[in-house]
Amino acid sequence: AGLAQQAVVSTQSTGKKHSLGLDFPNLPYLIDGDVKISQSVAIMRYLGRKFGLVPSEADVARIEVFEQFLMDIRNSLSKVCYGDKEKFETAKADFIGKLAKQLEEVKGFIGDGPYAAGAKLTYVDFMALEFLSHCAAFSPESFENTAAADYLDRIKSLPALKNFYESENCTHNSYTINAPFSQWPGWPNKQ
Amino acid sequence: MSLKLGYWDLRAMGEVSRYLLRYSGVDWVDRRIPLSKEGYTQWFGEKYSIGLDLPNLPYLEDGEVRITQSIAINRYLARKFGLYPSAQESLVKCDMIEQEAQDFRVLFQNLIVKKQDEFEQGKPEFLEKMKKRLEMLDGYVGSGPFVLGDNLSYVDFMVFEYVSQIKKMDPGFVDGASNIARLLETIHSLPQLQPYFTSEEFKKGTPINPAFTSFSG
């Protein structure tokens, strides 16, 4: 039997959310023809496969460990930034304390690189670029003179990305890192 | 014996991998690190010297392979034991359900680490939110029999374990989700899992979460 027709039952009117044909309405979502997916990791892995940004078979397990390690860091940062106001300063200090060791681990993992899978650029390099850039905006001192910062610079200097950063409408000049209502939105061009 | 899973003596995020190993029928070492002073000393003493790139618990050793991160371990074991989808369309659905199931565990974890009063306050909202998500998962699974249709995959074990964890806290959790309830029964009845379900170890039970949380189960 093929996959059963999904029946998304919504008991509340949530506007567009439940009318896009997503099995699990959420943000982010991706629509690519008939493919309709949510869950950021599923989207990243889909785009990775689509654009050839995948590791060789021998490297899959190692790269997936790095994928999840980066998700852990991002999720930890989210917990700090979306947590209670009273707990923010302590949570921030704890996070920064752990970050130093994690960046050492990134250095060990990447080695000479230039990318996570060595010579081959893969989707996890983009996860590292974005998630570690969030951490660098949150705690710039943690990244000073680190191999992790060099790794991020290498990815940022890819021609397509360079064009994006230099473009007039680069969203990084207007988007916050976290929601504006969070304890640390990460406004562009500000700490 | 070169196949070993190391994790705290908990279910939490290690049990899915244990189920995959039990299902496979291969010999493996179920290394459990006690949540005690001795256990912590032992683990933190060796954490950085057992060949792990990104040290953490759980970890898996398989000959030369040494990996961490429960999801990476689950995918690795799935590929090893024929529980990973091969068809292109199934890959994206698999990833999506994997992440949905993971969300069930992560949100449950976020709730139970709260202090007792915050936990009690947060529980009703958590259950309401999760029941809505369970309803979507239920609709998705449909007649199955498995999450991805005809073929059993590792995400069935993720749904099985993480829904069961919440069900331990709220026995009526799957009452409105008959396809999920059926799926739980189907997985529980897998012949390959009966040696485990009839074992002394299963009868003794393993806590879901650490004793210091608001729901250890």
Side-chain angles (χ1 to χ4, degrees):
Chain A
L3 290 163
Q5 214 31 350
Q6 51 83 17
V8 178
V9 178
S10 169
T11 54
Q12 48 178 204
S13 146
T14 45
K16 198 162 191 193
K17 187 176 180 185
H18 291 269
S19 63
L20 286 168
L22 298 166
D23 294 315
F24 301 96
N26 215 333
L27 292 176
Y29 69 83
L30 181 81
I31 296 179
D32 182 14
D34 288 334
V35 176
K36 298 183 183 192
I37 45 174
S38 52
Q39 287 294 352
S40 66
V41 172
I43 292 169
M44 285 184 275
R45 288 164 62 78
Y46 173 82
L47 294 174
R49 288 189 294 269
K50 188 180 169 85
F51 301 137
L53 293 166
V54 289
S56 67
E57 209 175 300
D59 239 2
V60 163
R62 186 178 160 273
I63 291 302
E64 289 183 350
V65 174
F66 191 52
E67 174 206 294
Q68 289 299 305
F69 168 85
L70 292 167
M71 285 302 293
D72 265 4
I73 293 179
R74 201 346 162 166
N75 289 334
S76 297
L77 181 64
S78 292
K79 277 188 94 170
V80 174
C81 296
Y82 289 96
D84 297 328
K85 188 172 180 179
E86 316 82 58
K87 297 178 186 166
F88 178 72
E89 290 301 331
T90 318
K92 178 176 174 175
D94 276 347
F95 178 84
I96 292 173
K98 291 194 178 104
L99 190 56
K101 182 92 189 107
Q102 288 164 327
L103 294 183
E104 273 296 305
E105 288 172 6
V106 170
K107 174 182 177 177
F109 188 84
I110 301 298
D112 290 332
Y115 305 119
K120 189 165 206 278
L121 186 68
T122 64
Y123 70 99
V124 296
D125 295 303
F126 295 88
M127 291 177 71
L129 170 64
E130 187 58 6
F131 296 163
L132 296 180
S133 294
H134 297 175
C135 297
F138 190 66
S139 172
E141 329 75 57
S142 301
F143 281 75
E144 269 162 33
N145 302 314
T146 59
D150 293 339
Y151 165 56
L152 298 189
D153 284 341
R154 289 196 290 274
I155 308 166
K156 280 184 209 172
S157 61
L158 289 164
L161 294 192
K162 226 167 153 277
N163 282 344
F164 167 69
Y165 292 128
E166 289 166 4
S167 69
E168 206 179 295
N169 298 318
C170 178
T171 50
H172 290 203
N173 296 332
S174 54
Y175 285 7
T176 52
I177 290 173
N178 295 307
F181 60 73
S182 67
Q183 303 308 328
W184 186 81
W187 289 100
N189 310 318
K190 273 188 220 177
Q191 269 198 28
Chain B
M1 211 178 299
S2 69
L3 191 50
K4 178 195 285 181
L5 182 80
Y7 191 52
W8 301 113
D9 192 5
L10 294 175
R11 285 166 60 182
M13 290 210 195
E15 198 68 6
V16 173
S17 306
R18 292 189 183 122
Y19 275 119
L20 297 174
L21 286 156
R22 288 166 192 145
Y23 173 84
S24 76
V26 303
D27 279 334
W28 63 288
V29 175
D30 186 359
R31 180 191 179 191
R32 293 178 182 232
I33 297 157
L35 282 107
S36 62
K37 191 151 168 265
E38 294 73 28
Y40 301 147
T41 308
Q42 186 184 35
W43 170 241
F44 293 111
E46 68 180 71
K47 183 177 174 181
Y48 294 98
S49 55
I50 56 170
L52 301 169
D53 288 331
L54 301 168
N56 215 329
L57 288 174
Y59 73 87
L60 184 82
E61 277 178 24
D62 183 12
E64 297 289 296
V65 174
R66 297 250 187 299
I67 55 175
T68 50
Q69 293 294 340
S70 67
I71 281 187
I73 292 169
N74 293 341
R75 292 180 192 154
Y76 176 88
L77 292 173
R79 291 184 181 107
K80 190 179 171 81
F81 301 140
L83 294 168
Y84 197 82
S86 46
Q88 276 294 318
E89 329 77 79
S90 299
L91 292 179
V92 68
K93 293 180 195 293
C94 177
D95 282 346
M96 199 166 59
I97 303 300
E98 173 204 88
Q99 291 296 303
E100 274 298 311
Q102 182 72 1
D103 275 356
F104 274 68
R105 169 62 204 175
V106 170
L107 293 170
F108 182 49
Q109 188 166 298
N110 290 349
L111 175 74
I112 55 99
V113 298
K114 291 183 196 291
K115 288 204 279 281
Q116 195 66 35
D117 50 350
E118 280 178 34
F119 163 78
E120 293 299 340
Q121 262 182 348
K123 199 164 119 176
E125 192 190 324
F126 165 82
L127 287 172
E128 196 189 316
K129 202 164 85 166
M130 297 320 294
K131 280 178 184 167
K132 290 205 175 88
R133 293 182 77 158
L134 190 68
E135 221 176 291
M136 291 183 196
L137 196 55
D138 188 78
Y140 186 88
V141 171
S143 57
F146 301 115
V147 172
L148 298 183
D150 287 336
N151 299 316
L152 179 69
S153 70
Y154 74 102
V155 296
D156 289 295
F157 293 91
M158 287 183 73
V159 172
F160 171 72
E161 174 60 15
Y162 294 151
V163 169
S164 297
Q165 287 186 6
I166 297 175
K167 192 164 169 263
K168 191 109 193 267
M169 183 181 77
D170 177 46
F173 184 59
V174 303
D175 285 353
S178 61
N179 295 318
I180 298 295
R182 190 206 66 239
L183 179 72
L184 297 189
E185 248 319 292
T186 304
I187 302 304
H188 197 271
S189 308
L190 288 171
Q192 296 90 336
L193 295 184
Q194 298 320 301
Y196 172 65
F197 287 131
T198 51
S199 70
E200 281 310 307
E201 188 204 329
F202 176 70
K203 287 173 191 146
K204 202 177 79 166
T206 301
I208 297 174
N209 303 306
F212 58 75
T213 59
S214 293
F215 181 78
S216 69

